Amino acid sequence: MSKEDSRHILVKTMQSALQSKGLHGVGLSEILKTAGLPKGSLYYHFPGGKEELALAAIAQAEAEMTAFLEQVFTRFDDPLDALAAWIDSALQRIAASRFKLGCPLAAAALDCSPDDTDLLLALNRAFDTLRNQLSAHISRAGFASEAAADLAALVLTSYEGGLMMARAAGSTDPIERAFRALLSHVRLQQKELTHGH
């Protein structure tokens, strides 16, 4: 196994651990056991230990989410259809995991203490990136930049909060209801914009 492979395995293992157990819910020995790698491998790639590995996992989760969103938005002419498709895929993923897996970014954020400064900064940057990406696509639906930024924040907070409530309920109902209301509200606003009311 190459050094790059072992690094990738460690990052993916940490990412899964964040999703299912949060930042402090998993120890290094459990991560190494799941990854099937020795402790030396961890400190070779991440001299800063668990925090440095968590930062790499957050960066990886951010990259994957932005890449996935970009794919979805290029598939649809209407950004609002793309939003609906994105939420639909999220519902399928969380249901397939039997409601064990949330968003690794949200799980890490909930588990951070105010002292986890670097992790909080990284998470805030990741959420900002996603919000800006959503905002850029929503503005294509005819919304002014400020309104698009507000909507992007609403979409992202609904998504993250909805995933958390879906996990607690063991059902996709909370996130389905939130997005049904959100998308119908946004489509009404879009109609008003395009008809000049």
Side-chain angles (χ1 to χ4, degrees), residues 2-190:
S2 74
K3 286 186 163 58
E4 206 44 53
D5 285 342
S6 58
R7 185 187 189 281
H8 179 71
I9 290 166
L10 283 165
V11 172
K12 293 305 288 180
T13 305
M14 185 64 182
Q15 204 177 325
S16 298
L18 286 177
Q19 270 187 296
S20 56
K21 297 182 177 180
L23 181 65
H24 299 301
V26 65
L28 277 181
S29 54
E30 189 182 339
I31 289 165
L32 289 166
K33 188 180 170 189
T34 308
L37 292 165
K39 192 177 262 190
S41 180
L42 173 89
Y43 288 105
Y44 173 82
H45 293 292
F46 303 101
K50 187 177 169 183
E51 182 175 334
E52 193 178 339
L53 176 57
L55 285 167
I58 288 164
Q60 180 67 25
E62 177 190 345
E64 284 173 11
M65 281 180 80
T66 52
F68 182 72
L69 272 175
E70 215 47 51
Q71 276 181 350
V72 175
F73 277 103
T74 52
R75 281 209 331 261
F76 294 88
D77 290 334
D78 183 347
L80 301 186
D81 289 341
L83 274 182
W86 171 50
I87 298 309
D88 201 44
S89 72
L91 294 177
Q92 287 172 28
R93 270 200 319 280
I94 191 169
S97 79
R98 295 174 185 262
F99 301 94
K100 288 191 180 76
L101 299 180
C103 169
L105 300 177
L110 285 169
D111 221 8
C112 276
S113 77
D115 298 331
D116 294 318
T117 320
D118 290 347
L119 288 165
L120 286 168
L121 277 170
L123 287 162
N124 191 43
R125 270 198 310 272
F127 285 130
D128 276 350
T129 300
L130 289 164
R131 199 170 58 242
N132 290 337
Q133 184 183 18
L134 286 169
S135 179
H137 285 296
I138 290 168
S139 66
R140 288 196 296 111
F143 291 91
S145 58
E146 195 59 28
D150 288 350
L151 274 176
L154 181 57
V155 166
L156 199 54
T157 52
S158 298
Y159 171 75
E160 297 295 1
L163 280 181
M164 191 170 58
M165 290 175 75
R167 273 184 91 177
S171 159
T172 55
D173 188 61
I175 195 169
E176 284 187 71
R177 286 181 181 279
F179 272 91
R180 197 160 54 231
L182 175 60
L183 285 169
S184 65
H185 169 69
V186 174
R187 285 194 190 283
L188 275 174
Q189 283 191 303
Q190 188 188 31

